[in-house]
Amino acid sequence: MAQRKLVIVGGVAGGASAAARARRLSEDAEIILFERGPDVSFANCGLPYYIGGEIAERDALLVATPERLRSRYNLDVRVNTEVLQIDRAARLVRVRDRVADRKYREAYDNVILATGAAPIRPPLDGIDHPRIYSLRNLSDMDRIQAATSGDARRAIVVGGGFIGLEMAENLRRRGLHVDLVEMLDHVMPPLDREMATPVHDALTRNGVSLHLGKAVTSFADDAGRVAAVLKNGERLTADIVLLAIGVRPETTLARDAGLALNERGGIRVNTRMQTSDPDIYAVGDAVVVKDYVTGDDALIPLAGPANRQGRIAADNLFGLESHYRGTLGTSIVRVFDQVVGMTGVSEQVLRRNGRAYQKVYVHPLNHAEYFPGAERMMIKLLFTQGDGGLLGAQVVGNEGVDKRIDVFATAIQGGLTVYDLEAAELAYAPQFGSAKDPVNLAGFVAANTLRGGVRNAQPDDLGDSLLLDVRTPDEHRAGAIAGSILMPLDDLRDRYRELPTDRPVVTYCQVGQRGYNAARFLMQRGYDVRNLVGGFATYRAVHAYN
Ligand code: FAD
């Protein structure tokens, strides 16, 4: 049998994974990896940390060099070579060697497109100012590094998504003043707003000037520096602008070849990662995936899915049946001393889709309180009203956020419910967790809600209830919900008769637990009572920027 010839377009996350897997499955296949840039298989995710100095060696970002891919995997790696066209009728690609400025053709039996996504550059006045940068690859990184060296003092980051936040932190590490401009009312658009409150606090605490709910309408030159003009007329001036308002699938090649795309330009693929042409596969940021929870089409640019899809495409090409199950959007980001993880669907998406759901908040410690260094995290869990099926989770804190978000992600993929979270057996020693892990705790509160053990009040739905603060007088003095009355939990049994019986009551404490005890007590004394889920900590997060 003639050896199969596989052409891979794009040599980073999805493309390099597909190439290595293909070689492991077929020693005889001819595998050509075309990459437009000078580098393959580099760590995009590490780029901001080189700029900030946390990753000291540039070479550490080169996960595999072209030479390594050639020697270890016998791949024909052609960097600085752009694929210009796929001629499906003739089964060949037309390419251009950008260094030699030479065009040539290469025949194929199969193609894997791993062309990724490009930073969005909106057609605003002044967008071509030379001091406006975006970050996708090592060359971008080098340019930003050079532009922020010397006497650069100020930067404007436009966009509060992952890359914008990571860059804000790292530009601060380089000693620049940073203005962060975000069009929405909170950073990290996939996150629900109240969960972004600790991130806003961390940014402000660390000297980032936050401009929320403000859009940039144009850029202008300001004596060689760059000015960003905001919709409200405000004008910010800086030495560089980092544009990080999102990415767009890079699919001109696929479109020109007549492959099926969705309305946002993503390449349509089946679960085997095959495009509308069965000989052409596509993976990574360029493809449309199914949202794991909603089943809707989605573009979710993340490294994990790109790598796994590369592997799946290669499996299917070389005889191993393999299917992509959809993307949950499990992700994590560190913003100074805060870590934010999320998985599954958010409340804002559930609302938009008109889907019924329940939610709870808990604020557990990351590990046993008696072991030094325990810190609180905030967990939001979304689940179905009927059977408690998990829909999504968001966790903000510091240490231990990564572990909990991964448990929630695995639970969603396993089709588990809040009752399973109650029962989950997780590793415990005092440095790492608690005998009732934060994951268990979220399960307890959610399952209690479904079983009717307690009725929850949400922070944005207190009605005209009597608000009963069951914390200590010191806690009450340090900050309380306006109009609430104080009756510490330990006094409640002696004093509860002071409470009116003809008015619904909402109990609250700092994080929800004492409030729950109070609610259980008052329920049994005949009161119409709800507990503020997540307590004052959640209330504050919800109302922080109102
Ligand atoms: P890419 O890795 O972008 O590779 C596509 C390659 O195709 C590019 O190198 C491009 O030059 C090449 N190409 C395109 N067209 C052609 C053509 N016609 N001919 C030849 N070559 C072509 N994800 C996470 O999950 N976690 C993170 O922490 C994270 N951090 C990130 C930080 C930054 C700064 C960036 C930019 C991305 C980050 N991501 C992160 C996203 C992650 O890097 C991407 O989801 C992933 O790289 C997508 O892989 P891909 O193979 O689809 O595309």
Side-chain angles (χ1 to χ4, degrees), residues 9-10 12-14 35-36 44-45 83 114-116 135-136 284-285 301-303 306:
V9 189
V12 191
E35 169 52 53
R36 184 176 54 201
N44 329 43
C45 312
V83 176
T115 45
L135 179 61
R136 181 182 185 187
D285 290 358
L302 287 171

Side-chain angles (χ1 to χ4, degrees), residues 121 124-133 219-227 238-241:
R121 284 182 85 86
L124 300 177
D125 281 351
I127 189 77
D128 293 326
H129 193 287
R131 287 179 179 261
I132 301 177
Y133 299 84
F219 296 100
D221 186 69
D222 191 328
R225 298 170 83 215
V226 55
D239 301 290
I240 76 154
V241 166

Side-chain angles (χ1 to χ4, degrees), residues 384-444:
T384 57
Q385 167 72 47
D387 58 4
L390 298 173
L391 298 170
Q394 302 173 15
V395 187
V396 189
N398 194 323
E399 267 184 38
V401 168
D402 53 347
K403 159 162 124 170
R404 274 58 186 222
I405 205 66
D406 281 347
V407 174
F408 289 127
T410 309
I412 296 175
Q413 290 170 86
L416 302 189
T417 67
V418 297
Y419 304 109
D420 296 308
L421 296 185
E422 282 188 298
E425 185 183 319
L426 303 167
Y428 164 60
Q431 310 89 318
F432 303 106
S434 298
K436 289 175 191 149
D437 190 85
V439 169
N440 297 131
L441 199 74
F444 294 148

Side-chain angles (χ1 to χ4, degrees), residues 27-41:
E27 190 48 38
D28 298 325
E30 183 181 354
I31 304 171
I32 307 176
L33 187 65
F34 288 112
E35 169 52 53
R36 184 176 54 201
D39 307 292
V40 287
S41 196

